[in-house]
Amino acid sequence: MSGLKDITFIEDLELKDKKVFIRLDLNVPMKDGTITDDTRIQGALPTIRYALEKGAKIVLCSHLGRPKTEEDRKTLSLEPVGNRLSELLNVDVQLIENPVSDAAKALLPTLRPNQIVLLENIRFLEGEEANSEKLAAKIASYVDVYINDAFGASHRAHATIVALPHLMKHKAVGYLIKKEIEMLDKILYEPQTPFVVLMGGSKVSDKIGVIENLMDKIDTFLVGGAMSYTFLQAMNVSVGNSKLEKGKINLAKDLLKRLEMREKKLLLPVDHVIVEKFDAEAHTKITDGSSIPEGWMGVDIGPKSAALFAEHIHAAGTVFWNGPMGIFEVKNFAKGSFQMAEALAKSPCISIVGGGDSASAVNASGYADQMTHISTGGGASLEYLQGDKLPGLEALRERRR
Ligand code: ADP
Ligand code: MG
């Protein structure tokens, strides 16, 4: 079983002189008009390069952020992304302000081999998020081939992800989606054992589906981050003022019971880094055990927990990591997450990291290049792992005759 069954790959299509629409996820973090992390642009290059080499006439499309107001049209323009693409690919990038005007149609046939078209932020058009048939039809009228390589957006039923490929005869996935799905399929269908899931982040409720879907496949869950406090509370361990999902305590109890019945282990922190008041410079203390005193809050896993989790990571065949171990955005509370990145780097296991913040934590740790795979799509990778179908992939699937 593979998530790519009956889906065409870009290499199987004829691209020469064809007008090729490539939907990408170039939704990069920006500050004051400058790109702060170009991982997603880098991830898109193999597919663009391939299409360039094959002599395609290329139209690139992406969203950026969540534009709402007129003001957002300035701050969320793809112009800086176009400039970066131009540098990285050494091509001339023509930005088209309005993807539904006739500009793209007119420009495409005249493109020179070192020129590509980039459509302005597709979410500036209302029809994108509404999965508008009309928007899709307009684009379909000026392209021959549709490629989806926007893994990070493929869990959304939007016009350039779903409505457009439905209208296209020639359609395929690019290199990034292929790699992402193949990696995630390893976890879903053939994990090397022991299979360990390292989870953290802010909420249990975000990750329930993944825990449930992987429950029968995993050997051990290691749980840190704020979600561990809800589990600890479910076991009647006090967690002081730590971030807690009070409404999810019964759910946590239920999950613990189901894991126990399967004789699966769920390990929680055995010590914590705590502060009295949340502040980047706050004085920190380390607890003696798993409980947190009244008036204090957990901000990271403690050293004993990090060592315990690292032991399991070293002995694992596969580790999937989603969710930081603490408030890693603050330097003093990032240690536990960095120690997990180091453990993954030093373990011979297959290591797969999913989730936007987890990917940032791994990047900040300096161990990113030692992971087997870091997913570029947080939400999409979680939805896929929890067993949901990705609308963007379903729209590409050809029925077997
Ligand atoms: P991902 O994006 O990788 O899926 P999440 O969004 O679930 O991860 O979780 C990341 C967030 O969880 C971070 O913003 C981090 O600060 C927060 N977090 C982790 N540990 C704690 C904690 N102990 N208390 C409060 N917030 C936490
Ligand atoms: Mg997040």
Side-chain angles (χ1 to χ4, degrees):
M1 183 54 199
S2 154
L4 294 169
K5 190 168 175 286
D6 299 334
I7 293 177
T8 307
F9 180 44
I10 187 171
E11 289 182 6
D12 300 321
L13 292 179
E14 176 63 47
L15 301 185
K16 176 133 188 72
D17 294 326
K18 296 279 193 289
K19 289 165 276 179
V20 179
F21 178 95
I22 309 179
R23 178 57 157 98
L24 300 168
D25 176 9
L26 303 175
N27 184 24
V28 288
M30 294 226 254
K31 203 166 178 236
D32 306 326
T34 310
I35 297 164
T36 52
D37 177 356
D38 73 354
T39 309
R40 282 184 162 155
I41 299 180
Q42 298 284 352
L45 297 179
T47 291
I48 309 174
R49 283 207 178 99
Y50 178 82
L52 273 170
E53 281 162 15
K54 290 290 164 185
K57 300 196 183 300
I58 300 170
V59 195
L60 304 180
C61 170
S62 175
H63 67 282
L64 181 65
R66 294 178 178 206
K68 285 190 187 78
T69 61
E70 256 327 284
E71 189 54 31
D72 291 342
R73 288 185 175 259
K74 283 181 218 131
T75 54
L76 294 176
S77 166
L78 280 173
E79 195 177 345
V81 173
N83 294 339
R84 179 63 61 91
L85 280 169
S86 172
E87 285 164 25
L88 291 168
L89 292 163
N90 200 18
V91 292
D92 172 32
V93 177
Q94 299 276 329
L95 187 71
I96 298 227
E97 294 286 335
N98 182 0
V100 291
S101 68
D102 288 322
K105 197 175 201 151
L107 189 59
L108 271 171
T110 69
L111 274 192
R112 293 194 303 272
N114 66 336
Q115 276 187 324
I116 58 179
V117 167
L118 171 66
L119 302 180
E120 184 51 285
N121 189 349
I122 196 71
R123 285 197 189 158
F124 286 172
L125 300 178
E126 260 175 33
E128 172 65 359
E129 293 183 66
N131 198 20
S132 154
E133 189 83 23
K134 208 169 141 209
L135 168 57
K138 184 73 201 183
I139 295 173
S141 75
Y142 63 78
V143 297
D144 307 312
V145 175
Y146 172 88
I147 304 292
N148 184 355
D149 214 18
F151 179 68
S154 288
H155 58 314
R156 310 230 183 259
H158 291 175
T160 56
I161 300 288
V162 172
L164 177 56
H166 275 313
L167 298 175
M168 301 290 299
K169 182 161 177 238
H170 305 289
K171 49 190 171 182
V173 287
Y175 289 90
L176 180 70
I177 290 202
K178 182 162 185 272
K179 185 174 170 213
E180 292 272 10
I181 297 295
E182 283 171 353
M183 287 294 172
L184 296 175
D185 279 350
K186 266 194 215 289
I187 300 186
L188 275 175
Y189 305 117
E190 43 176 335
Q192 302 273 327
T193 55
F195 180 12
V196 173
V197 172
L198 174 63
M199 286 197 131
S202 40
K203 292 192 202 143
V204 181
S205 47
D206 287 348
K207 322 274 161 123
I208 287 299
V210 184
I211 298 182
E212 292 190 322
N213 195 40
L214 293 178
M215 193 177 273
D216 289 315
K217 301 187 176 103
I218 55 97
D219 297 290
T220 307
F221 279 107
L222 306 173
V223 178
M227 71 185 273
S228 67
Y229 311 133
T230 305
F231 279 107
L232 286 169
Q233 186 70 259
M235 295 161 69
N236 293 320
V237 176
S238 54
V239 295
N241 286 343
S242 302
K243 189 176 162 127
L244 196 63
E245 277 181 287
K246 288 212 177 73
K248 300 293 169 195
I249 293 169
N250 281 332
L251 184 68
K253 275 187 190 158
D254 175 59
L255 281 173
L256 287 170
K257 213 174 276 154
R258 288 162 66 191
L259 286 164
E260 197 185 320
M261 272 156 49
R262 288 170 169 80
E263 296 182 348
K264 307 277 180 175
K265 269 183 281 186
L266 184 142
L267 301 186
L268 291 162
V270 291
D271 59 351
H272 309 271
V273 177
I274 55 172
V275 297
E276 263 189 302
K277 209 172 114 253
F278 180 75
D279 183 300
E281 302 305 324
H283 170 70
T284 58
K285 264 188 13 183
I286 291 168
T287 60
D288 279 333
S290 55
S291 71
I292 296 173
E294 224 27 72
W296 291 72
M297 62 187 278
V299 289
D300 195 5
I301 57 170
K304 287 201 189 98
S305 310
L308 173 72
F309 289 3
E311 241 174 72
H312 283 268
I313 291 169
H314 284 297
T318 307
V319 178
F320 173 65
W321 181 14
N322 171 249
M325 296 293 107
I327 307 173
F328 75 101
E329 297 92 335
V330 177
K331 196 168 152 271
N332 289 342
F333 314 150
K335 199 168 173 195
S337 300
F338 291 176
Q339 283 169 318
M340 293 302 96
E342 183 182 0
L344 280 167
K346 293 189 171 152
S347 165
C349 70
I350 295 171
S351 50
I352 302 187
V353 182
D357 291 299
S358 312
S360 303
V362 172
N363 284 334
S365 76
Y367 290 103
D369 58 349
Q370 293 175 63
M371 302 298 137
T372 311
H373 181 62
I374 301 177
S375 179
T376 54
S381 57
L382 285 182
E383 287 197 18
Y384 189 74
L385 285 179
Q386 78 195 29
D388 294 354
K389 293 204 152 83
L390 301 183
L393 288 187
E394 296 316 304
L396 295 173
R397 226 179 279 283
E398 305 288 3
R399 242 176 250 126
R400 276 261 169 87
R401 263 157 247 177

